[in-house]
Amino acid sequence: MKRIDTDILIVGTGAAGLFAALHADPDKKVLMITKVAKDKSDSYLAQGGICVLKDESDYDSFFEDTMKAGHYENRRESVDIMIRSSKETINELIGYGVEFTKKGDHFDYTREGCHSKPRILYHEDITGKEITSKLLAEVLTRKNITILENMPMVDILERENVCYGVLAKKDGEYYTIRANYTIWATGGIGGLFCNSTNYPHLRADAVAIAIRHGVQLEHPEYIQFHPTTLYSKKHGRSFLISESIRGEGAKLYGADGKRFANEILPRDLLTKEILKQMKKDHKPFVWLDMTVLGKETIVTHFPHIYQHCLNEGYDCTKEWIPVVPGQHYYMGGVYVDKNSKTSMERLYAAGETSCNGVHGKNRLASNSLLESLVFAKRAMQDIKTQKAVQSSCDLDDLAKETIEKLPKDYVETYKNIVLNEIKKRKENQ
Ligand SMILES: Cc1cc2nc3c(=O)[nH]c(=O)nc-3n(C[C@H](O)[C@H](O)[C@H](O)COP(=O)(O)OP(=O)(O)OC[C@H]3O[C@@H](n4cnc5c(N)ncnc54)[C@H](O)[C@@H]3O)c2cc1C
């Protein structure tokens, strides 16, 4: 077994992991590990945009829209922190070279379902790629940060509710990674579903590990389905048809050619309406008419969606496209406080894998990139305030013990652990 020592370990190289790393003290050794290649994260896939409090007069309605979408189950303090930190976060992104689409000299703000006002910054329809690739480029310039790819975390090294790092695997060999602090930034859970917009390698590993080690969860049963992914008979990741397309006026139709729902309903409610219509029509999809947006808007604002539809055989500037709901986002997850601390000593979580309460029961569109960044930074800020680590343990013993306890087929076992927990919580609702 090989051993690596670091000050701070970050598991995951999506927006949350990268932003946390960028806020570490430059004299601290930061190691980032990721399951596959460093640019294969959902953060790269975000299309619609990122919310911002563009001026103070929008605070109340931004807050209310977030709460309303979340069925008022959101933690109010977390929502306030996210909104209040949004401008600073956007300015930091711009500082790292992120470009947002402008109209003339000013940013162009768009609107998505459930937003009462346009407050979303975007970069064409590839906002996530623009943000995450610039964050990654910045991370790669930092001498104190190392990234190791194709190195999944398989467990944590835990004793008496203290996290001493993780057990990882690379090229079939186990690695003991000792860290003073560990941050889970492992993203969503879409890999557990057959129809999801997420990368299939995002399989809720951290949630399964949390359950095995008694780390507190919050609402693991709160899962968001996106109402509109492109219906395809091909296997693999479902392609998202961004909500901003409906925000801009696209309409949904049933098999009878009639509209059946308000297209800018919150995601959970619209998903229910679409599933109802599919059942009524005995069809695996409903229709989305984007043609009303006009060719110029489609081609300039949504060039990648336009191209993807063309590749699938649909010219969305001229014809309706078939759409179906797909698993999209995880509101629940590993419980964290407002500083992204889990219930385990020296263990933090940020981004989609964590639940800081911002989204409540249902996420408002374009709040997740912002929430991931704001609370990832807070994790690192909190680590900076911690006194030097005191307790230690025999890591070799702990690593051996951890391997012995690891289920033989841990991949399948972890999946079942999470799905059973979700089922149990749903039944108890
Ligand atoms: C198609 C799509 C469109 C979206 N559009 C928007 C949008 O417009 N606006 C918005 O705000 N949000 C959007 N989202 C949601 C948003 O992109 C995500 O919530 C956010 O990027 C999550 O960031 P993250 O860093 O937490 O996770 P990710 O970016 O998914 O990163 C997770 C990382 O963890 C690694 N990992 C996972 N398990 C392990 C393991 N066991 N060991 C080691 N590494 C591991 C992965 O390899 C990856 O590097 C969209 C999501 C999708 C899928």
Side-chain angles (χ1 to χ4, degrees):
M1 195 179 346
K2 292 192 173 153
R3 171 156 170 178
I4 304 174
D5 282 68
T6 188
D7 294 317
I8 299 158
L9 170 66
I10 300 174
V11 187
T13 56
L18 294 167
F19 208 57
L22 289 173
H23 287 91
D25 272 337
D27 62 341
K28 297 286 178 215
K29 235 163 65 179
V30 178
L31 174 64
M32 303 186 76
I33 61 168
T34 180
K35 204 172 197 177
V36 292
K38 53 184 176 290
D39 58 353
K40 293 282 177 286
S41 67
D42 273 8
S43 297
Y44 269 81
L45 305 178
Q47 295 177 345
I50 181 167
C51 290
V52 63
L53 179 67
K54 59 177 180 169
D55 54 62
E56 196 55 34
S57 65
D58 190 33
Y59 178 88
D60 288 343
S61 73
F62 190 172
F63 191 91
E64 173 60 18
D65 289 348
T66 303
M67 296 295 294
K68 193 173 171 193
H71 296 254
Y72 299 95
E73 289 193 27
N74 325 51
R75 277 189 240 158
R76 299 178 72 87
E77 189 184 18
S78 299
V79 177
D80 175 66
I81 289 171
M82 179 188 75
I83 297 176
R84 291 277 174 222
S85 313
S86 62
K87 237 183 185 165
E88 183 188 310
T89 307
I90 297 298
N91 286 336
E92 280 188 57
L93 293 179
I94 293 168
Y96 293 133
V98 174
E99 288 178 19
F100 294 108
T101 299
K102 287 184 171 175
K103 247 191 194 150
D105 289 341
H106 300 285
F107 288 127
D108 186 26
Y109 295 91
T110 187
R111 194 181 152 198
E112 296 187 62
C114 236
H115 283 273
S116 53
K117 290 190 186 146
R119 60 172 74 94
I120 299 167
L121 289 171
Y122 65 96
H123 179 100
E124 297 173 358
D125 52 358
I126 48 165
T127 311
K129 184 175 176 197
E130 172 67 12
I131 292 174
T132 319
S133 61
K134 298 284 167 64
L135 294 179
L136 179 59
E138 182 65 28
V139 159
L140 295 175
T141 67
R142 301 286 176 99
K143 290 202 168 61
N144 63 322
I145 308 175
T146 306
I147 299 182
L148 294 177
E149 299 177 287
N150 304 309
M151 192 181 217
M153 159 183 75
V154 299
D155 207 343
I156 49 171
L157 301 167
E158 178 258 334
R159 191 162 276 164
E160 290 170 8
N161 203 37
V162 180
C163 177
Y164 294 96
V166 314
L167 181 72
K169 223 174 179 182
K170 192 170 168 65
D171 302 326
E173 201 173 346
Y174 285 118
Y175 281 70
T176 304
I177 307 177
R178 194 206 65 77
N180 292 340
Y181 298 99
T182 300
I183 303 177
W184 278 341
T186 49
I189 66 167
L192 304 182
F193 296 78
C194 48
N195 190 18
S196 171
T197 58
N198 294 187
Y199 270 113
H201 68 279
L202 303 178
R203 294 173 57 92
D205 299 331
V207 179
I209 294 170
I211 295 169
R212 287 184 71 228
H213 290 268
V215 179
Q216 193 182 333
L217 301 181
E218 183 160 311
H219 287 305
E221 72 282 16
Y222 284 180
I223 300 164
Q224 182 175 77
F225 286 76
H226 197 287
T228 51
T229 72
L230 187 65
Y231 172 74
S232 170
K233 285 187 180 154
K234 291 181 196 159
H235 286 295
R237 198 160 53 74
S238 309
F239 185 76
L240 185 80
I241 304 296
S242 170
E243 189 143 322
S244 42
I245 285 183
R246 281 176 283 113
E248 298 276 336
K251 300 285 181 258
L252 287 163
Y253 294 93
D256 57 2
K258 291 190 181 145
R259 283 181 65 202
F260 58 88
N262 170 2
E263 286 78 4
I264 56 170
L265 276 175
R267 289 180 178 176
D268 53 344
L269 301 183
L270 186 57
T271 294
K272 275 189 193 152
E273 292 300 318
I274 293 175
L275 292 175
K276 233 179 3 186
Q277 187 65 32
M278 282 164 51
K279 202 167 167 195
K280 192 172 149 204
D281 292 347
H282 301 289
K283 292 261 188 235
F285 56 80
V286 294
W287 294 103
L288 180 72
D289 177 16
M290 292 171 60
T291 63
V292 285
L293 272 62
K295 185 165 181 173
E296 203 193 318
T297 304
I298 293 175
V299 174
T300 52
H301 190 155
F302 306 107
H304 297 86
I305 293 176
Y306 170 61
Q307 191 53 50
H308 189 93
C309 289
L310 275 185
N311 296 345
E312 290 275 338
Y314 302 101
D315 182 347
C316 61
T317 65
K318 293 188 183 143
E319 59 187 325
W320 295 1
I321 58 169
V323 291
V324 59
Q327 190 282 339
H328 183 54
Y329 184 76
Y330 196 39
M331 279 81 61
V334 178
Y335 164 86
V336 291
D337 67 12
K338 64 178 181 187
N339 294 319
S340 305
K341 254 179 158 164
T342 71
S343 64
M344 181 172 281
E345 289 296 307
R346 302 205 214 163
L347 180 64
Y348 290 75
E352 200 169 327
T353 217
S354 68
C355 179
N356 50 43
V358 159
H359 308 296
K361 200 173 182 179
N362 177 52
R363 170 181 72 113
L364 180 69
S366 287
N367 261 351
S368 50
L369 280 171
L370 178 61
E371 175 261 309
S372 295
L373 299 172
V374 167
F375 286 87
K377 177 174 170 181
R378 291 178 73 84
M380 200 50 93
Q381 283 173 329
D382 199 74
I383 288 172
K384 286 181 193 171
T385 67
Q386 302 296 307
K387 291 192 192 107
V389 164
Q390 301 290 337
S391 53
S392 197
C393 76
D394 183 334
L395 213 73
D396 293 337
D397 271 3
L398 182 55
K400 268 188 220 142
E401 207 179 283
T402 308
I403 293 174
E404 275 162 23
K405 285 189 188 157
L406 195 66
K408 261 210 170 68
D409 184 359
Y410 65 85
V411 175
E412 200 51 28
T413 307
Y414 281 5
K415 174 182 173 176
N416 292 332
I417 288 175
V418 176
L419 291 178
N420 286 339
E421 185 68 24
I422 290 170
K423 196 170 155 220
K424 200 173 80 193
R425 301 274 185 134
K426 272 191 176 159
E427 283 166 3
N428 290 340
Q429 257 178 4

